[in-house]
Amino acid sequence: MSEEDHDVEKRRGFLRQLVGAGSALPLAPGLAGTVIADMAVAVAEPAAAETAVQPQAASPVAGYICFGPEEAAFVEALVNIMCPADEFTPNGVDCGLATFIDRQLGGDFGRGAKRYSRGPWLAGKPQHGLQLPLTPEQHFKAGLAAANKASVAKYGKGFDEIAPADANQFLTDVAAGKFEDPRLSLALWFNELVYPLFTQACFADPIYGGNADKVFWKMIGYPGLPATNAVNMIQYRGKPVPQAKDPKSIVDFS
Amino acid sequence: MQKLPKKTVVIVGGGLTAGLAARQLTAKNVEVLVLERGGSHAGSAAATLPGQRDELRWDSHQGLVQDWSIETYTLRHNGNETALPARWMEAFLPGEGLGGAGNHWNGHTWRWSEYDPQIRTRYETRYGKQAIPKDVSLQDWGTTYAELRPYHELFEKLFGLSGKAGNINGVIQPGGNPFEAPRDGDYPQKPLEITESGLVFKATAEKLGYKPFPTPAANSFGAYVNPDGQKLAACQYCGHCERFICEANAKATPQVLLYPMLAERKGFEVRLRCHVLGLIYDEGGKRVTGVRYVDLLNGQEYEQPADVVILGAFTMMNTKLLLTSRIGKPYDPLTQTGVVGKNFCYQASSNMSLFMKDRWFNPFMGAGSAQLCIDEFNNDNFDHAGLGFLGGASISAAVYGSRPIKTRRLPPGTPRWGTEWKRANAEWYAHSMGLNAAGSCYPHRDNYLDLDPTYTDAYGQPLVRMNFDWRGNELAMSKFVTEKMNGIAKAAGADIVGPANPLKAPFDIRVYNTTHITGGTVMGADPATSVVSPRLQHWDAQNLFVVGASVFAHNAGYNPTGPLAAMALRLGDDVASYVDRPRDL
Ligand SMILES: Cc1cc2nc3c(=O)[nH]c(=O)nc-3n(C[C@H](O)[C@H](O)[C@H](O)COP(=O)(O)OP(=O)(O)OC[C@H]3O[C@@H](n4cnc5c(N)ncnc54)[C@H](O)[C@@H]3O)c2cc1C
């Protein structure tokens, strides 16, 4: 497992450099995938070269559809605090977590698909669930702005500029309701909107842009697809399941 | 509004009960039209690989569930509060589309306790007239297990249940549920494979002197052909059962076993994407003449005349249609008169987690009903004298599949993010298991459904208002059974035992509980306290019948589908006879 992690780290590092250097280099998703895969292939197994032209689920596709630059900076800082690079995974951005959140907020979920949105609007108990006329995208961004304000008030800087230890503490305090903005509950914002998006970003199928390279599935040993376990149920009852080391996602079957 | 040609029987809703009733009716050549508000999921990404395995789409985003922007419910915990709409409901997940919630159900399929239909008599006989608190409106159902038993037998064969009999004609069978109502013989199929957590549960429960058994499952143990020649394949333990459609056709559902067969039968028609808005009621004649619906394909409203109307639109909609169509007297909690909306019940559940470093639970290999269970503390299977509550819970160890967005068990004290959070996930995902207590919920005078005075659905009709909270009886019951569950947890030899939290008020729509909401149109022998007769015939409209958990007068510590399916089959036979000779059944 750790070998694979190194590999992931290396590839991510390479992508970062490319993107960092890369204003002149348009990185189409497919192209980025190819380059990365080729790198890995060159080091590891030349025989797999044909498969390398397949775009990989592994790479968080660069770019945002719904975040402006400042929002992106906030979200990138957020996911890197909540998911630091460590022995388990690359940092949150490299895991695709910011991409996932961006895509969710820019799509059906963000626009409030399937949510009941007729008035009147009244304050309820927490057990009534969120009672906001805002769509999740609007709510996310309003909360982000309020959290940034709270960060400036407390640390003199926006959230993406404070030291990681402070940022971590800040999120803990936000979740605990210590920074309530008079107009918007930051605790509800974090606990009922941001946090579920974070766990979804980590553990949803990589087809949605997070959980890059199935890194979180590998971390916990979730085998993903196809999950036809009639035989495994008996053969591996009470034992480690080999497929858990090499999970497969929807992309692998598409 | 255009009036369409009359049909003999119109069924509102195209779910599980509708499919079963239609099976009986069409077998007797009675013409049936099913009106279903949703489409068909057959062949869609929900029902085929690889899309089926998408936790985010089908589970987190509720891809198969009723659209809350169109139809939701309001909630108030007490009569002096203003109800607010659930803008995104998590607590329960009604289905939409052909097959209804019967597509994305889990398949636990119980016969309830033999005494359940006589619950009030049972408690009063055993503990005296004073045993039932005044505000707990338990009442007998007007039917008996013996009457429903042949239909349970039929349903279990149709749905190919996998299980271990516990009581064959009164003879208790080792390995089965000793509290089971008597049955004619074994289950149609062997029980599902036991999981590793099932082994832990079984050994621990036996050590404590309990009698663990596999939950009867509508997940198919093997390849199975039912009496209609309809086929199930073997369960793959893929862990995508509840909230998902089984792409392997291994979960017994209306979509697999009923509707394709019905489509071939003469006189059967399903009209998809037809949302029924109301019943047309002839109050003087005590009859309904048909239904009104919007055809979502063209936005037009139609009148569909019928000789007989059956409501099979799930608990909330069955109740709503009676209330909006003004059929029957709405329940009033102050005077405790009226009937429509009364005895609204739910399921009083609690659960906990166990962590064992050295055991590989592999929780991703599971099935909707892959669970071991004990029934010692369920319903009135134990002596309640002096306990201060009635009812109980089944206690089980289930493995539904631990899909990773929603189900990763973490030891208490784990941070919510960061490296230590990841470490705990990595360490415990495969090495943890859960226990669950699925408890009864008895009616309370203040728990009922009515129409919200303010909020409306997308068609401009009032939303159903839930007047509901966990009341004293359920809170005390949950405390007791959660402690029993904790006893099992502590005896299991776990490295870490998570907290044993009983049910807490107020009722919270943000957390999934179960979709076992019951009551609202309850059955009974007395028109003053019930909406429909013991044969499910409306007291105030002879040619109107209601079926589903909405007719249950209380909820037991079991899932509802066994009895409601048995009743739907019986209803099909009853309505066929009624069509022949209309009368009070
Ligand atoms: C996640 C989940 C897990 C479950 N697990 C279990 C379990 O393990 N064991 C168990 O016993 N039960 C379980 N159930 C409950 C089980 O699914 C129901 O008991 C069963 O489906 C009820 O059948 P029904 O016909 O009453 O309703 P449904 O099968 O839900 O059918 C009702 C149909 O009516 C349609 N409808 C509603 N309103 C209208 C309208 N106005 N016009 C037209 N059509 C309308 C709906 O779209 C739906 O298709 C579960 C349910 C869910 C959601």
Side-chain angles (χ1 to χ4, degrees), chain A residues 206-233:
Chain A
I207 198 167
Y208 291 102
N211 190 16
D213 211 18
K214 298 157 265 196
V215 61
F216 280 90
W217 288 3
K218 288 178 189 163
M219 174 183 98
I220 62 171
Y222 176 72
L225 278 61
T228 41
N229 291 318
V231 175
N232 288 349
M233 263 303 277

Side-chain angles (χ1 to χ4, degrees), chain B residues 174-201:
Chain B
N177 179 6
F179 300 93
E180 191 174 44
R183 32 187 307 113
D184 293 1
D186 284 322
Y187 283 90
Q189 300 196 65
K190 292 205 295 188
L192 294 175
E193 291 296 341
I194 193 166
T195 62
E196 182 75 356
S197 74
L199 290 176
V200 168
F201 183 82

Side-chain angles (χ1 to χ4, degrees), chain A residues 45-126:
Chain A
E45 326 167 40
E50 290 106 44
T51 59
V53 290
Q54 302 278 330
Q56 295 231 328
S59 52
V61 180
Y64 297 109
I65 57 174
C66 121
F67 295 145
E70 283 177 20
E71 290 159 343
F74 184 106
V75 175
E76 292 192 353
L78 177 95
V79 297
N80 285 343
I81 292 298
M82 296 180 76
C83 173
D86 53 25
E87 68 262 46
F88 298 107
T89 74
N91 72 32
V93 169
D94 290 346
C95 289
L97 306 189
T99 307
F100 175 95
I101 295 173
D102 171 76
R103 300 297 189 269
Q104 287 301 309
L105 292 173
D108 276 1
F109 170 79
R111 296 197 187 97
K114 280 184 92 156
R115 295 180 73 84
Y116 182 78
S117 59
R118 292 170 173 227
W121 299 90
L122 302 167
K125 305 176 194 172

Side-chain angles (χ1 to χ4, degrees), chain B residues 106-109 159-163 187 192 214-221 369-370:
Chain B
N106 245 349
H108 306 188
T109 312
F159 271 43
L161 292 204
S162 306
Y187 283 90
L192 294 175
T215 296
N219 314 136
S220 189
F221 174 84
S369 309

Side-chain angles (χ1 to χ4, degrees), chain A residues 157-168:
Chain A
K157 295 180 212 163
F159 175 72
D160 62 310
E161 291 177 336
I162 56 183
D166 288 341
N168 197 47

Side-chain angles (χ1 to χ4, degrees), chain B residues 261-294:
Chain B
M261 174 188 77
L262 288 168
E264 304 294 313
R265 288 196 178 173
K266 243 184 80 212
F268 180 79
E269 182 190 347
V270 164
R271 249 173 249 159
L272 297 174
R273 305 249 182 241
C274 292
H275 187 105
V276 174
L277 291 175
L279 303 168
I280 303 160
Y281 185 36
D282 167 9
E283 198 175 346
K286 288 204 155 198
R287 299 175 48 75
V288 292
T289 56
V291 306
R292 284 189 303 119
Y293 71 86
V294 182

Side-chain angles (χ1 to χ4, degrees), chain A residues 89 114 120 192 195 208 237, chain B residues 54 62 194 416 455 510:
Chain A
T89 74
K114 280 184 92 156
E192 304 211 2
Y195 191 75
Y208 291 102
R237 179 165 34 223
Chain B
D54 184 345
Q62 300 186 358
I194 193 166
R416 292 172 74 202
Y455 292 96
R510 296 170 302 173

